[in-house]
Each structure stands twice: as structure tokens, then as C-alpha cells.
């Protein structure tokens, strides 16, 4: 089953305990982010309301007693998008209550899949996020079948990754 628009929003918002994202793409090409990314690349200041709608959603999840987090896979040298994400995107998400960890896979392979982003909700439902090589999302698809590998990958990624604040201490 493919999810789009309001259907995706409703599916996402229906999680009861936890939402986890496995994020692997070196860049994401999203029209809504293009102006902000361009500002970042020009060295301009981050707007006060940058990503505020997502922050409101995260705060609402956390206030409702839900957990939301992700592991961001990186392998330096960082792309422009990853630098933008680490400087402008992730700090605000963390401040809103999202548990974001960074996993540098440059010198290690811990058995995680590559190139496939996904969300796992309540450790019972997985949605693949599909992308073209240029980072444009082509769809969201509910994964049918055994989700045990995703639970295992989540545990492996989370154990190997470092909290964003710890990552920035060594790379700030």
C-alpha cells in the first residue's frame, strides 16, 4: 500500500508509543527545503521559524508521552545537504524533543542495510521511503511481511550511533 498526502499524515500520526526513522540518503531534494538550503549555502542566518511545523508536531508527540527519534547515517565527506541538516535541521528537532543519533559508517560495517530509508511505528509497522538517486522522494510504501529484521536493524543502529550532542562535540 502506498501512502500519500493526508493518508500518510494520518498513518504517521496514528503511532501510539514510538516512531523511529532510519535515514540513509546523502541528500534529500525537497522543494519546500530548497530556499532554506540555498540560504544555508550562501552563508546566511537560519530563519527563526525554520522547520517550526515539524517542531510543533514533535513537541505534541512528546507531550503525549510518545517517543520519536532517528538514526542518521553519514559517511564523510559530508554532502552540502548533510552539512545543512547537521547545522540547521537537527539541532531544532532535538530541542523539540526528537532523539536523533548519528552513525558514521566510514570505517565500519555493522550489518545495516544501505540506501533504504524507513520509518518504524510501535515496532509493528514499517514504511519504506523510496528515493531517486538525486534525493527526490518517489513514494512511501507500507512494508508487508516480516518486520523482525527492521527491529534488529533499529537496535544495531541505535546501539552503534552517538547522540547528536555527542557527535557535535567532536565535529563542531
Amino acid at each position: 500500500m502506498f501512502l500519500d498526502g493526508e493518508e500518510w499524515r494520518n498513518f504517521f500520526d496514528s503511532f501510539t508509543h514510538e516512531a523511529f526513522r532510519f535515514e540513509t540518503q546523502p541528500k534529500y531534494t525537497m522543494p519546500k527545503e530548497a530556499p532554506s538550503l540555498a540560504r544555508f549555502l550562501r552563508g546566511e542566518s537560519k530563519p527563526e521559524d525554520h522547520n517550526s511545523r515539524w517542531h510543533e508536531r514533535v513537541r505534541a508527540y512528546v507531550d503525549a508521552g510518545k517517543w520519536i527519534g532517528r538514526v542518521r547515517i553519514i559517511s564523510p565527506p559530508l554532502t552540502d545537504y548533510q552539512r545543512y541538516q547537521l547545522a540547521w535541521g537537527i539541532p531544532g528537532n532535538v530541542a523539540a524533543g526528537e532523539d536523533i543519533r548519528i552513525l558514521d559508517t566510514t570505517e565500519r560495517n555493522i550489518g545495516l542495510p544501505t540506501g533504504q530509508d524507513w520509518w518504524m511505528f510501535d515496532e509493528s509497522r514499517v514504511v519504506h521511503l523510496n528515493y531517486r538517486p538525486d534525493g527526490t522522494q518517489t513514494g512511501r510504501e507500507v512494508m508487508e511481511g516480516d518486520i523482525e529484521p527492521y527491529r534488529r536493524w533499529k537496535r544495531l543502529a541505535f546501539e552503534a550511533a552517538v547522540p547528536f550532542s555527542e557527535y557535535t562535540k567532536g565535529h563542531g
Side-chain angles (χ1 to χ4, degrees), residues 97-156:
E98 191 174 353
D99 184 350
I100 300 178
R101 296 170 185 243
I102 308 297
L103 178 56
D104 184 340
T105 59
T106 305
E107 296 181 9
R108 62 182 166 166
N109 179 346
I110 60 171
L112 295 170
T114 58
Q116 178 66 65
D117 285 28
W118 42 273
W119 278 98
M120 182 166 45
F121 301 97
D122 299 322
E123 296 227 354
S124 62
R125 301 175 298 152
V126 172
V127 175
H128 284 176
L129 307 174
N130 302 316
Y131 295 90
R132 289 195 302 247
D134 72 352
T136 302
Q137 190 175 84
T138 60
R140 299 173 201 96
E141 184 176 7
V142 176
M143 198 283 298
E144 303 291 336
D146 183 14
I147 65 164
E148 189 53 39
Y150 294 86
R151 291 181 186 129
R152 187 176 72 251
W153 294 328
K154 175 191 169 210
R155 282 189 298 275
L156 283 171

Side-chain angles (χ1 to χ4, degrees), residues 12-65:
F12 192 107
D13 287 342
S14 71
F15 78 94
T16 58
H17 301 294
E18 113 179 0
F20 171 78
R21 168 99 184 252
F22 186 69
E23 196 169 52
T24 67
Q25 304 302 309
K27 67 179 177 177
Y28 296 94
T29 304
M30 298 186 291
K32 288 181 184 178
E33 279 190 338
S36 291
L37 177 58
R39 286 183 71 166
F40 170 78
L41 293 174
R42 289 191 302 265
E44 296 177 15
S45 298
K46 179 172 73 170
E48 290 279 329
D49 65 345
H50 180 74
N51 216 12
S52 61
R53 289 180 56 200
W54 176 248
H55 300 158
E56 290 169 16
R57 287 179 71 190
V58 169
R59 280 190 210 94
Y61 299 138
V62 172
D63 289 348

